[in-house]
Amino acid sequence: RLYKTGEHAYQASKARAADRENTALDIEATETAVDAKRLASKRVPYKEAWYSKKDKIVYEILQQRYEQNPGFADELQRTGKREILHTVSSNYWGIGQNNKGKNVYGQLLMKLRVAKLNTKTVHTPRIHTETKESPHRSNPPKARPNIRTYTGAQTGSKQSTLSKKSP
């Protein structure tokens, strides 16, 4: 399947995990990643089974992005061995508002970097990621350089592919 962004792939996968194929198709048709997330939040019910799969799905999306998007691959390589922190308010995907979140997205980026570049993470200095749709940290500390996490739309590639694998 082709997706406009990684968010589209993630939200459509979540809808399919909830047996909502029509909602998944509607999500795929949305214009922006923000629209895809909004629609999913309104129409995809909470399913416990999704929570055991979501990290794997995001990792697969990141792998596809790395393979298809040279800008993303270059940015990931430029992080070197530094820890990557996803600076969003989510205490699960990012570091949260109190900097004590699980940072699962940052961990998945570092896992991908190890897999693709064979680099081990050194936990200082820190790098913060910031998404185009929601820059939750407008004034990161000066000593911590920013990198952006890329969706296809941000780098000129309009679509991302996620192979349809059943977890």
Side-chain angles (χ1 to χ4, degrees), residues 86-103 128 135-137:
H86 190 46
T87 56
V88 296
S89 61
S90 167
N91 283 321
Y92 184 78
W93 292 116
I95 62 170
Q97 293 179 342
N98 62 3
N99 293 333
K100 294 181 181 179
K102 292 182 178 181
N103 190 39
H128 292 273
H136 293 284
R137 180 171 284 220

Side-chain angles (χ1 to χ4, degrees), residues 21-126:
E21 181 62 28
N22 288 337
T23 298
L25 294 172
D26 290 344
I27 289 167
E28 290 172 5
T30 60
E31 287 299 313
T32 68
V34 171
D35 293 339
K37 186 174 182 176
R38 252 186 225 131
L39 183 60
S41 71
K42 290 177 185 173
R43 293 179 40 194
V44 179
Y46 175 90
K47 292 283 186 180
E48 190 66 37
W50 172 250
Y51 291 89
S52 65
K53 300 178 194 179
K54 66 183 183 177
D55 294 2
K56 181 180 179 199
I57 297 294
V58 169
Y59 187 74
E60 289 175 8
I61 292 167
L62 288 172
Q63 286 177 308
Q64 293 295 323
R65 186 179 292 165
Y66 184 92
E67 296 299 326
Q68 298 170 33
N69 187 324
F72 175 73
D74 290 346
E75 282 296 316
L76 188 61
Q77 185 174 4
R78 280 195 285 268
T79 64
K81 296 180 180 184
R82 294 169 288 187
E83 183 178 21
I84 301 173
L85 298 176
H86 190 46
T87 56
V88 296
S89 61
S90 167
N91 283 321
Y92 184 78
W93 292 116
I95 62 170
Q97 293 179 342
N98 62 3
N99 293 333
K100 294 181 181 179
K102 292 182 178 181
N103 190 39
V104 172
Y105 192 78
Q107 290 176 27
L108 292 173
L109 285 168
M110 291 183 287
K111 178 181 174 181
L112 179 64
R113 180 179 63 196
V114 168
K116 298 296 184 182
L117 306 170
N118 197 25
T119 59
K120 302 284 187 206
T121 299
V122 176
H123 290 283
T124 53
R126 293 176 181 246

Side-chain angles (χ1 to χ4, degrees), residues 1-3 9 13 16 56-57 59-65 67-68 160-167:
R1 292 187 184 266
L2 291 176
Y3 294 93
S13 296
R16 286 189 176 92
K56 181 180 179 199
I57 297 294
Y59 187 74
E60 289 175 8
I61 292 167
L62 288 172
Q63 286 177 308
Q64 293 295 323
R65 186 179 292 165
E67 296 299 326
Q68 298 170 33
S160 297
T161 302
L162 176 63
S163 42
K164 189 175 180 184
K165 295 181 192 173
S166 297

Side-chain angles (χ1 to χ4, degrees), residues 123-138:
H123 290 283
T124 53
R126 293 176 181 246
I127 292 181
H128 292 273
T129 64
E130 185 177 284
T131 60
K132 185 175 182 182
E133 290 85 10
S134 57
H136 293 284
R137 180 171 284 220
S138 57

